[in-house]
Amino acid sequence: LALILFGYLLAVAVIDLEHRLILAPLSLFGLGLALILGVIVRGWAATLIGGVAGFLILYAFYWLGKIFARLRARRLGVEADSEEALGSGDVTLVTVLGLLLGWPLIWFALLLAILLGGAVSLIILLVAVLRGRYRQQAFNMFIPYAPFFILSAMLLVYFPQVVSALLPR
């Protein structure tokens, strides 16, 4: 099951990196797989609460992203912005990860993903500044967030001792 989970997460990350979308059939498979694995590892309560918490947290961020995109489009003077800060596939993916990790570990996974995504974004921004293309590239560059969600979940699932060793005591 761990190899199937790894293959699933890798497929979602690669597709999101290449096409910037998370396919619905892949999400449905992930929901079933995460539910099974979550119940085996953590039981029903922690699994279901983790899935609901993951959904609600990212759904709130999804709507905040939509508001930000509208404000950005208005500021740029365009009618509508085709880019989304987070997509509905990201919400579904975090629901899958919530089922997989359970409650309260989904909180830590989201925080870790946000920090990883922020670190990579900062590096991209610094490179744009150093190349002198800050205005051209920095505000028109979007990165997919699913790989960061997946990386944080993989660290927590496959390397929990490493993650716990990095935390202050």
Side-chain angles (χ1 to χ4, degrees):
L1 286 175
L3 285 175
I4 293 171
L5 174 66
F6 181 79
Y8 165 76
L9 293 174
L10 187 63
V12 171
V14 168
I15 291 170
D16 195 43
L17 281 169
E18 289 182 0
H19 303 287
R20 303 205 35 212
L21 61 96
I22 299 173
L23 303 171
L26 209 51
S27 295
L28 290 175
F29 175 79
L31 287 169
L33 178 64
L35 183 63
I36 291 167
L37 288 172
V39 169
I40 290 171
V41 174
R42 289 177 183 73
W44 280 102
T47 298
L48 293 177
I49 293 171
V52 170
F55 172 80
L56 291 175
I57 292 166
L58 214 68
Y59 192 67
F61 281 124
Y62 169 77
W63 278 104
L64 287 172
K66 287 184 97 45
I67 292 168
F68 174 79
R70 287 185 190 141
L71 293 173
R72 180 182 172 276
R74 187 176 305 149
R75 180 178 173 178
L76 293 174
V78 294
E79 189 171 314
D81 196 353
S82 63
E83 295 292 337
E84 289 184 327
L86 293 168
S88 60
D90 293 315
V91 176
T92 306
L93 175 64
V94 172
T95 304
V96 169
L97 297 178
L99 291 171
L100 177 68
L101 298 171
W103 179 259
L105 206 51
I106 187 62
W107 281 105
F108 186 69
L110 289 174
L111 176 63
L112 184 58
I114 289 167
L115 291 174
L116 290 170
V120 170
S121 297
L122 181 62
I123 291 168
I124 291 170
L125 185 63
L126 289 174
V127 169
V129 167
L130 291 174
R131 293 178 66 200
R133 298 186 178 172
Y134 176 77
R135 291 254 185 233
Q136 294 169 339
Q137 289 181 340
F139 292 110
N140 294 317
M141 189 176 299
F142 293 86
I143 58 170
Y145 234 95
F148 301 110
F149 293 134
I150 290 169
L151 180 59
S152 70
M154 289 176 90
L155 288 171
L156 292 172
V157 169
Y158 294 107
F159 304 105
Q161 295 85 7
V162 173
V163 174
S164 66
L166 295 174
L167 294 174
R169 299 198 189 255

